[in-house]
Amino acid sequence: MGNPVQPSLFALPKYTCESCLRTVRRRPLSRPVSTAAKILRSEEPKPKDHALKPLSRPVGVRYPPKEGENSGVDPRPWRERRADLFNYDKHLVRREQLTKQAAKPYFRDWSRTKYHQGKTFTAPSRIFRAEKSLYFPNMVGSTLSSPKIPSSTTSVLRDRVSIVSVYSGRWAELQTQSFVAEKSHPELTELLSGNERGRGPLQKVELNIEEDWMKALIVRTFMGGIRRQRRKEDWGRYFLIRRGVTDEMKEMIGMGNAKVGYVYLVDWLCRIRWAGSANAGEEEKEGMRAGVRRLLEGWRVEREEGKGVRGHKVESGVVKER
């Protein structure tokens, strides 16, 4: 076979030589684009994506949570885990996950905080309907009352109306306090004060997600100071979570930016009925208070009807009556 036909010199693009200021023609350099770069370009937000939109759909997982799941520890025997090492299909899935992680810039979430102070959505004015709501996933971590024993969030959220704050870092924690702190939201504190020192239906739960082992070690070092800032009855509602929270789980519950704080209203069946992000607005606070009153009313109605919020049991991912 003969040599391939080369393009004509006059068909090549023109370039200006900086040394002699003459127009020359040369072949452009062809640089192949990697798969990671393609994924990065596809995930890079467009200017129109920065527009702030209200949360119009329920967020969460589709199945009721179970205690002990999403702990980050594989409970399967060694034979099953060894079989995965020779499963080609699972290798492809793992390769795709690693490619997405490699394409994600380290400072991407920080760069997105310049838009609306990191706010990814505005909170809805009303709570989601019970039959349409999705579930808050179970997470496993250590609490202030038992720092050495892993605890599940489902055991704390079940049978209560919960205001759940999820954050990672001090800046995100301050954002969640704009929703739940006494200084920034005194009307919500009045609702919480009628709980008979934490034994009522309404409670506050804090989930501090620190996936970096060094940051988690720093938080553990200052656990004593964190205890002094909270009442003793609230120690069991503060979770330090190290592992088990995947990117897919964050997307399902609406955590579009890991550096931003999020607040959820979770009912007695662990369903997410309302969600807010970043710093709270006045309209968002009003919607949050209305949602809390609505959930407390529903909690009392079910209790008076004889069904009882404690008359429900979650087994094998199905909600059943006792």
Side-chain angles (χ1 to χ4, degrees):
M1 296 180 61
N3 295 329
V5 178
Q6 298 293 334
S8 174
L9 181 62
F10 297 98
L12 297 176
K14 296 182 179 180
Y15 295 90
T16 302
C17 181
E18 297 180 357
S19 60
C20 56
L21 299 179
R22 291 188 305 173
T23 302
V24 296
R25 297 179 184 271
R26 59 185 176 92
R27 293 181 176 85
L29 299 177
S30 59
R31 298 179 180 177
V33 182
S34 62
T35 306
K38 293 180 181 179
I39 296 176
L40 177 59
R41 292 176 182 177
S42 62
E43 293 184 353
E44 187 176 355
K46 306 297 187 297
K48 63 179 181 180
D49 295 337
H50 298 315
L52 200 58
K53 299 180 181 179
L55 184 63
S56 58
R57 61 175 181 83
V59 293
V61 297
R62 295 187 176 274
Y63 300 99
K66 295 185 293 184
E67 298 178 6
E69 64 181 359
N70 302 324
S71 62
V73 179
D74 194 350
R76 298 179 302 168
W78 167 245
R79 290 184 177 179
E80 296 183 8
R81 287 183 289 175
R82 184 181 59 182
D84 291 347
L85 298 176
F86 302 97
N87 192 323
Y88 183 72
D89 295 333
K90 292 187 177 181
H91 274 287
L92 294 178
V93 175
R94 181 58 177 167
R95 184 188 302 175
E96 184 178 358
Q97 294 175 353
L98 293 176
T99 303
K100 290 183 178 180
Q101 293 179 3
K104 179 181 178 181
Y106 182 79
F107 294 101
R108 188 189 68 173
D109 291 336
W110 282 119
S111 62
R112 292 183 177 180
T113 57
K114 62 183 179 181
Y115 302 103
H116 312 288
Q117 295 182 348
K119 202 175 189 66
T120 54
F121 57 83
T122 56
S125 58
R126 299 180 180 179
I127 61 175
F128 302 123
R129 298 174 58 182
E131 59 272 14
K132 299 293 184 180
S133 300
L134 302 177
Y135 294 92
F136 192 87
N138 182 73
M139 301 181 186
V140 179
S142 57
T143 62
L144 295 177
S145 58
S146 58
K148 296 183 179 180
I149 302 176
S151 303
S152 297
T153 58
T154 302
S155 59
V156 177
L157 300 179
R158 190 178 297 156
D159 302 331
R160 303 282 293 273
V161 177
S162 306
I163 304 173
V164 183
S165 301
V166 184
Y167 53 84
S168 177
R170 180 59 179 169
W171 186 66
E173 182 182 0
L174 294 176
Q175 288 184 330
T176 59
Q177 289 181 1
S178 65
F179 283 95
V180 301
E182 182 177 359
K183 293 183 179 180
S184 58
H185 202 169
E187 297 84 359
L188 182 64
T189 306
E190 295 178 2
L191 295 175
L192 288 166
S193 61
N195 269 306
E196 300 177 0
R197 295 184 64 82
R199 293 188 292 269
L202 184 61
Q203 65 176 355
K204 285 197 305 181
V205 181
E206 296 180 68
L207 306 182
N208 187 357
I209 302 177
E210 294 292 352
E211 299 175 343
D212 186 271
W213 67 271
M214 186 174 295
K215 293 182 180 179
L217 181 62
I218 295 175
V219 175
R220 286 182 178 273
T221 305
F222 293 96
M223 278 261 186
I226 299 176
R227 289 191 187 94
R228 288 190 294 269
Q229 296 174 0
R230 290 159 177 80
R231 301 180 303 174
K232 189 174 182 180
E233 53 266 24
D234 294 335
W235 289 359
R237 305 186 185 110
Y238 180 95
F239 288 81
L240 176 61
I241 301 171
R242 275 276 293 110
R243 56 176 67 91
V245 183
T246 61
D247 294 338
E248 291 78 8
M249 187 187 303
K250 293 178 181 179
E251 292 178 1
M252 289 180 181
I253 63 176
M255 291 183 61
N257 193 331
K259 307 302 180 183
V260 176
Y262 294 85
V263 178
Y264 302 90
L265 291 184
V266 182
D267 65 5
W268 50 92
L269 294 179
C270 302
R271 295 174 298 193
I272 299 177
R273 307 295 298 275
W274 184 91
S277 65
N279 294 318
E282 292 300 328
E283 295 182 357
E284 292 178 319
K285 294 179 183 179
E286 294 178 2
M288 182 180 183
R289 292 195 301 271
V292 170
R293 296 189 184 97
R294 182 81 177 272
L295 291 180
L296 290 176
E297 182 182 355
W299 186 90
R300 296 188 181 98
V301 168
E302 288 203 7
R303 191 177 184 182
E304 292 174 358
E305 286 181 352
K307 298 179 181 179
V309 292
R310 295 187 181 273
H312 294 82
K313 188 177 182 181
V314 179
E315 290 183 354
S316 303
V318 181
V319 180
K320 299 180 180 180
E321 289 189 359
R322 291 179 182 173

